[in-house]
Amino acid sequence: MASSSGNSNSTSSSQIHNSGSEEKYLHQMSMMDQRKRKRKESNKESARRSRVRKQQHLDDLTAQATQLSKDNNQILTSINFTNHHYLTIEAENSVLWAQMMELSQRLESLTQILSYINVPTLLYETDQCFEASGNHSFDNPFNLPYLNQPIMASPDIFEYY
């Protein structure tokens, strides 16, 4: 029995030793579990912050797209207005150009008429003296009443559609 009691003594000391290492083991497992839980919580918090950042970035991009769309519409409106204004000015320019060409031709015609009228007149011999033909209205075809009418120009004849 002595040997059995010695045996039981060693068994109880090994049980104490085992329970100490079990406690140590359990304590380590508990620490590992606690670390895992902290890591999981940290990962969850990090993922939440990441989702918030991603949502904020998405909201910023949406706001930027909306603003760019508004800017684009405003630019298109401005371009359309400018094109309309350009076409109006171009039409007015065409009318003015046509009027200028007509007036230039009329001026050239009048200049030719004036140069013809102002040419030194030939003197015709009469019984008593020489007289300039300019004294007789029938001798000069440009003094006829129907040719001395003013030339009237109207912008209505150049209407541009």
Side-chain angles (χ1 to χ4, degrees), residues 1-14:
M1 291 241 170
S3 66
S4 68
S5 81
N7 230 354
S8 81
N9 228 358
S10 69
T11 307
S12 77
S13 85
S14 72

Side-chain angles (χ1 to χ4, degrees), residues 91-101 158:
E92 289 176 19
N93 190 33
S94 295
V95 169
L96 291 172
W97 185 260
Q99 288 175 345
M100 184 198 70
M101 294 304 290
F158 295 107

Side-chain angles (χ1 to χ4, degrees), residues 3-154:
S3 66
S4 68
S5 81
N7 230 354
S8 81
N9 228 358
S10 69
T11 307
S12 77
S13 85
S14 72
Q15 284 178 347
I16 293 174
H17 183 38
N18 281 345
S19 68
S21 50
E22 271 183 43
E23 284 180 23
K24 205 176 199 183
Y25 175 74
L26 290 175
H27 181 65
Q28 286 177 346
M29 293 303 278
S30 169
M31 292 293 283
M32 289 175 76
D33 287 343
Q34 192 175 15
R35 286 181 191 156
K36 282 182 182 179
R37 272 188 265 117
K38 281 184 181 181
R39 201 172 338 120
K40 281 183 180 181
E41 287 177 23
S42 175
N43 287 346
K44 282 182 183 180
E45 182 62 24
S46 177
R48 187 192 65 77
R49 285 192 309 265
S50 178
R51 284 191 302 274
V52 168
R53 277 194 312 270
K54 187 176 181 181
Q55 185 62 44
Q56 182 64 40
H57 184 65
L58 183 63
D59 292 344
D60 291 345
L61 289 177
T62 303
Q64 185 180 12
T66 302
Q67 183 61 41
L68 289 174
S69 180
K70 286 179 185 178
D71 292 347
N72 191 26
N73 288 335
Q74 192 175 25
I75 289 169
L76 287 174
T77 301
S78 177
I79 287 172
N80 289 335
F81 175 77
T82 303
N83 281 339
H84 177 71
H85 188 66
Y86 169 77
L87 292 174
T88 302
I89 296 297
E90 188 176 29
E92 289 176 19
N93 190 33
S94 295
V95 169
L96 291 172
W97 185 260
Q99 288 175 345
M100 184 198 70
M101 294 304 290
E102 180 192 1
L103 291 173
S104 294
Q105 290 172 350
R106 287 182 180 190
L107 179 63
E108 180 64 31
S109 297
L110 290 172
T111 304
Q112 289 176 355
I113 291 169
L114 286 175
S115 69
Y116 181 76
I117 291 173
N118 291 332
V119 170
T121 58
L122 298 173
L123 297 177
Y124 292 99
E125 189 175 335
T126 61
D127 290 341
Q128 298 173 354
C129 64
F130 293 99
E131 291 184 31
S133 66
N135 292 339
H136 301 288
S137 64
F138 295 112
D139 290 343
N140 189 347
F142 292 108
N143 283 335
L144 297 175
Y146 63 86
L147 290 178
N148 286 333
Q149 297 296 320
I151 299 174
M152 302 297 282
S154 171

